[in-house]
Amino acid sequence: MAWQNEIPKNILEKMIQEKIDPLYELRKRPTCDDIFVEVALAVSKRAVCLFHEVGAVIFKGSHILSTGYNGPASGDLHCTKVGCAKIIGGEIKSGTGLCRGTHAELNAIGNAAKFGINIEGASIFVTWAPCYTCAKQLVNASLRHVLYLINYEDARAKKCLETAKISLTRYEPRLESLSQKVEELRNTYEK
Protein backbone atom coordinates (compact mmCIF):
# COMPACT_ATOMS: atom_id res chain seq x y z
CA MET A 1 0.00 0.00 0.00
CA ALA A 2 1.72 3.11 -1.28
CA TRP A 3 -0.02 5.66 0.95
CA GLN A 4 1.59 4.22 4.11
CA ASN A 5 5.04 4.79 2.63
CA GLU A 6 4.29 8.52 2.36
CA ILE A 7 3.40 8.91 6.05
CA PRO A 8 6.26 9.24 8.53
CA LYS A 9 6.52 6.06 10.61
CA ASN A 10 5.93 7.80 13.97
CA ILE A 11 2.68 9.37 12.70
CA LEU A 12 1.47 6.09 11.21
CA GLU A 13 2.19 4.28 14.48
CA LYS A 14 0.31 6.96 16.43
CA MET A 15 -2.70 6.65 14.08
CA ILE A 16 -2.78 2.88 14.45
CA GLN A 17 -2.20 2.99 18.22
CA GLU A 18 -5.15 5.35 18.68
CA LYS A 19 -7.48 3.02 16.76
CA ILE A 20 -6.43 -0.13 18.61
CA ASP A 21 -6.59 1.56 22.02
CA PRO A 22 -9.33 -0.37 23.89
CA LEU A 23 -10.85 2.91 25.06
CA TYR A 24 -11.08 4.35 21.54
CA GLU A 25 -14.52 2.82 20.97
CA LEU A 26 -15.79 4.24 24.26
CA ARG A 27 -14.26 7.71 24.08
CA LYS A 28 -14.16 8.74 20.45
CA ARG A 29 -15.94 6.49 18.00
CA PRO A 30 -19.65 7.33 17.82
CA THR A 31 -22.21 4.54 17.81
CA CYS A 32 -24.96 4.55 15.20
CA ASP A 33 -27.32 5.94 17.86
CA ASP A 34 -24.86 8.80 18.45
CA ILE A 35 -24.85 9.55 14.72
CA PHE A 36 -28.67 9.44 14.59
CA VAL A 37 -28.79 11.95 17.45
CA GLU A 38 -26.49 14.29 15.55
CA VAL A 39 -28.57 13.90 12.37
CA ALA A 40 -31.85 14.52 14.25
CA LEU A 41 -30.36 17.63 15.85
CA ALA A 42 -29.13 18.86 12.47
CA VAL A 43 -32.47 18.16 10.79
CA SER A 44 -34.30 19.99 13.61
CA LYS A 45 -32.55 23.19 12.52
CA ARG A 46 -34.84 23.20 9.44
CA ALA A 47 -37.92 23.71 11.66
CA VAL A 48 -39.75 27.00 11.18
CA CYS A 49 -41.80 26.76 14.39
CA LEU A 50 -41.26 29.79 16.62
CA PHE A 51 -41.20 27.67 19.78
CA HIS A 52 -39.64 24.26 19.11
CA GLU A 53 -37.03 22.73 16.82
CA VAL A 54 -37.75 19.01 16.59
CA GLY A 55 -36.01 16.51 14.33
CA ALA A 56 -36.65 12.83 13.63
CA VAL A 57 -34.64 10.05 11.98
CA ILE A 58 -36.20 6.73 11.00
CA PHE A 59 -33.61 3.98 10.76
CA LYS A 60 -33.21 0.25 10.46
CA GLY A 61 -29.99 -1.23 11.81
CA SER A 62 -27.30 1.24 10.90
CA HIS A 63 -29.13 2.71 7.89
CA ILE A 64 -31.12 5.95 7.82
CA LEU A 65 -34.40 5.51 5.95
CA SER A 66 -36.05 8.91 6.38
CA THR A 67 -35.87 12.20 8.26
CA GLY A 68 -38.36 14.87 9.22
CA TYR A 69 -38.69 18.07 11.20
CA ASN A 70 -41.64 20.01 12.56
CA GLY A 71 -43.17 22.55 10.23
CA PRO A 72 -46.10 23.36 7.96
CA ALA A 73 -47.07 21.32 4.94
CA SER A 74 -45.09 21.89 1.75
CA GLY A 75 -46.12 25.19 0.21
CA ASP A 76 -47.92 26.44 3.34
CA LEU A 77 -46.91 29.66 5.06
CA HIS A 78 -43.98 29.46 7.47
CA CYS A 79 -44.50 30.62 11.02
CA THR A 80 -41.26 32.58 10.81
CA LYS A 81 -42.86 34.65 8.01
CA VAL A 82 -46.44 35.13 9.23
CA GLY A 83 -46.30 34.37 12.97
CA CYS A 84 -47.74 31.57 15.03
CA ALA A 85 -51.37 30.71 14.30
CA LYS A 86 -51.81 29.66 17.95
CA ILE A 87 -51.21 33.19 19.25
CA ILE A 88 -54.64 34.75 19.63
CA GLY A 89 -55.10 38.10 21.31
CA GLY A 90 -51.54 38.05 22.58
CA GLU A 91 -51.89 34.64 24.23
CA ILE A 92 -50.74 31.19 23.13
CA LYS A 93 -53.81 28.99 22.79
CA SER A 94 -52.85 25.32 22.99
CA GLY A 95 -55.10 22.53 21.80
CA THR A 96 -56.96 24.74 19.33
CA GLY A 97 -55.96 22.83 16.20
CA LEU A 98 -54.80 26.09 14.66
CA CYS A 99 -51.11 25.17 14.39
CA ARG A 100 -49.88 25.02 10.78
CA GLY A 101 -47.11 22.62 11.78
CA THR A 102 -46.82 18.88 11.39
CA HIS A 103 -44.67 17.09 13.94
CA ALA A 104 -41.24 15.74 12.98
CA GLU A 105 -42.27 12.10 13.38
CA LEU A 106 -45.20 12.50 10.99
CA ASN A 107 -43.06 14.32 8.44
CA ALA A 108 -40.46 11.51 8.62
CA ILE A 109 -43.20 8.91 8.06
CA GLY A 110 -44.64 11.01 5.22
CA ASN A 111 -41.23 11.46 3.58
CA ALA A 112 -40.67 7.70 3.65
CA ALA A 113 -44.09 7.10 2.07
CA LYS A 114 -43.50 9.81 -0.55
CA PHE A 115 -40.36 8.05 -1.73
CA GLY A 116 -41.68 4.48 -1.36
CA ILE A 117 -39.41 3.54 1.55
CA ASN A 118 -40.60 0.63 3.69
CA ILE A 119 -40.26 1.57 7.37
CA GLU A 120 -42.09 -1.43 8.85
CA GLY A 121 -40.12 -2.76 11.82
CA ALA A 122 -37.80 0.26 11.85
CA SER A 123 -36.90 2.52 14.77
CA ILE A 124 -37.14 6.27 15.14
CA PHE A 125 -34.95 8.73 16.93
CA VAL A 126 -36.72 11.98 17.78
CA THR A 127 -35.38 14.95 19.70
CA TRP A 128 -38.61 15.18 21.77
CA ALA A 129 -40.60 12.21 23.08
CA PRO A 130 -43.73 11.77 20.94
CA CYS A 131 -47.16 13.20 21.68
CA TYR A 132 -50.27 11.01 21.59
CA THR A 133 -51.09 11.81 17.94
CA CYS A 134 -47.56 10.93 16.83
CA ALA A 135 -47.51 7.79 19.00
CA LYS A 136 -50.65 6.54 17.23
CA GLN A 137 -49.03 7.08 13.84
CA LEU A 138 -45.80 5.37 14.95
CA VAL A 139 -47.96 2.37 15.86
CA ASN A 140 -49.78 2.52 12.50
CA ALA A 141 -46.43 2.71 10.66
CA SER A 142 -45.35 -0.49 12.50
CA LEU A 143 -42.23 1.02 14.05
CA ARG A 144 -40.73 -1.03 16.87
CA HIS A 145 -38.57 1.32 18.92
CA VAL A 146 -38.57 5.02 19.82
CA LEU A 147 -35.51 6.80 21.17
CA TYR A 148 -35.76 10.41 22.34
CA LEU A 149 -33.66 13.17 23.90
CA ILE A 150 -36.09 15.50 25.64
CA ASN A 151 -38.99 14.25 27.70
CA TYR A 152 -42.50 15.32 26.72
CA GLU A 153 -45.00 14.30 29.37
CA ASP A 154 -47.90 12.62 27.63
CA ALA A 155 -49.23 9.62 29.54
CA ARG A 156 -51.56 8.64 26.67
CA ALA A 157 -48.62 8.54 24.23
CA LYS A 158 -46.60 6.32 26.56
CA LYS A 159 -49.57 4.00 27.12
CA CYS A 160 -50.27 3.83 23.36
CA LEU A 161 -46.70 2.79 22.60
CA GLU A 162 -46.63 0.35 25.52
CA THR A 163 -49.88 -1.29 24.40
CA ALA A 164 -48.44 -1.74 20.90
CA LYS A 165 -45.23 -3.16 22.39
CA ILE A 166 -43.13 -0.31 20.97
CA SER A 167 -40.27 0.43 23.31
CA LEU A 168 -39.67 4.02 24.39
CA THR A 169 -36.12 4.80 25.50
CA ARG A 170 -34.55 8.02 26.67
CA TYR A 171 -31.18 8.35 24.92
CA GLU A 172 -28.24 8.83 27.26
CA PRO A 173 -25.11 10.02 25.48
CA ARG A 174 -21.73 8.52 26.25
CA LEU A 175 -19.55 10.85 24.18
CA GLU A 176 -18.53 14.04 25.96
CA SER A 177 -19.32 16.22 22.94
CA LEU A 178 -22.90 14.89 22.81
CA SER A 179 -23.33 14.95 26.59
CA GLN A 180 -22.83 18.71 26.63
CA LYS A 181 -25.39 19.31 23.84
CA VAL A 182 -27.98 17.01 25.40
CA GLU A 183 -27.52 18.49 28.88
CA GLU A 184 -27.95 21.99 27.48
CA LEU A 185 -31.18 21.03 25.68
CA ARG A 186 -32.61 19.22 28.69
CA ASN A 187 -31.76 22.14 30.98
CA THR A 188 -33.57 24.48 28.60
CA TYR A 189 -36.75 22.45 28.01
CA GLU A 190 -37.21 20.02 30.90
CA LYS A 191 -38.31 22.07 33.87
Side-chain angles (χ1 to χ4, degrees):
M1 292 187 216
W3 66 269
Q4 288 119 328
N5 296 333
E6 296 175 20
I7 299 174
K9 187 176 180 179
N10 63 330
I11 293 174
L12 185 60
E13 287 174 357
K14 183 179 178 190
M15 290 167 55
I16 292 169
Q17 192 59 43
E18 183 176 299
K19 296 285 183 179
I20 63 171
D21 178 348
L23 296 178
Y24 172 78
E25 292 284 326
L26 292 174
R27 281 191 262 153
K28 295 185 181 177
R29 185 167 190 250
T31 64
C32 288
D33 285 352
D34 298 332
I35 296 296
F36 301 148
V37 170
E38 294 281 12
V39 171
L41 289 169
V43 168
S44 76
K45 300 296 180 207
R46 296 277 303 147
V48 293
C49 176
L50 300 175
F51 299 103
H52 300 291
E53 291 179 343
V54 183
V57 175
I58 297 176
F59 62 95
K60 203 177 254 188
S62 61
H63 301 282
I64 294 175
L65 303 177
S66 182
T67 63
Y69 54 89
N70 61 317
S74 296
D76 197 358
L77 300 171
H78 286 194
C79 305
T80 54
K81 302 285 186 215
V82 296
C84 179
K86 295 190 305 184
I87 298 176
I88 302 169
E91 291 183 32
I92 299 171
K93 304 287 183 176
S94 294
T96 60
L98 297 175
C99 180
R100 281 185 289 278
T102 301
H103 289 185
E105 302 94 320
L106 301 185
N107 278 325
I109 291 168
N111 288 336
K114 181 178 178 178
F115 294 106
I117 299 169
N118 180 2
I119 59 171
E120 185 176 352
S123 300
I124 188 168
F125 187 92
V126 65
T127 54
W128 285 70
C131 69
Y132 181 55
T133 298
C134 289
K136 291 185 292 183
Q137 294 308 311
L138 296 172
V139 171
N140 287 341
S142 298
L143 297 184
R144 290 289 126 227
H145 187 70
V146 177
L147 291 130
Y148 68 94
L149 274 182
I150 300 166
N151 193 36
Y152 178 74
E153 281 301 322
D154 189 332
R156 292 186 314 160
K158 289 178 181 171
K159 182 68 176 165
C160 177
L161 295 172
E162 181 183 305
T163 300
K165 296 185 177 22
I166 296 175
S167 63
L168 178 66
T169 306
R170 181 176 163 118
Y171 170 81
E172 295 300 339
R174 56 180 193 80
L175 297 178
E176 191 174 316
S177 59
L178 272 175
S179 293
Q180 292 167 353
K181 285 181 191 178
V182 171
E183 184 178 345
E184 194 174 294
L185 284 168
R186 287 178 179 163
N187 287 339
T188 301
Y189 294 108
E190 293 181 349
K191 297 172 181 160

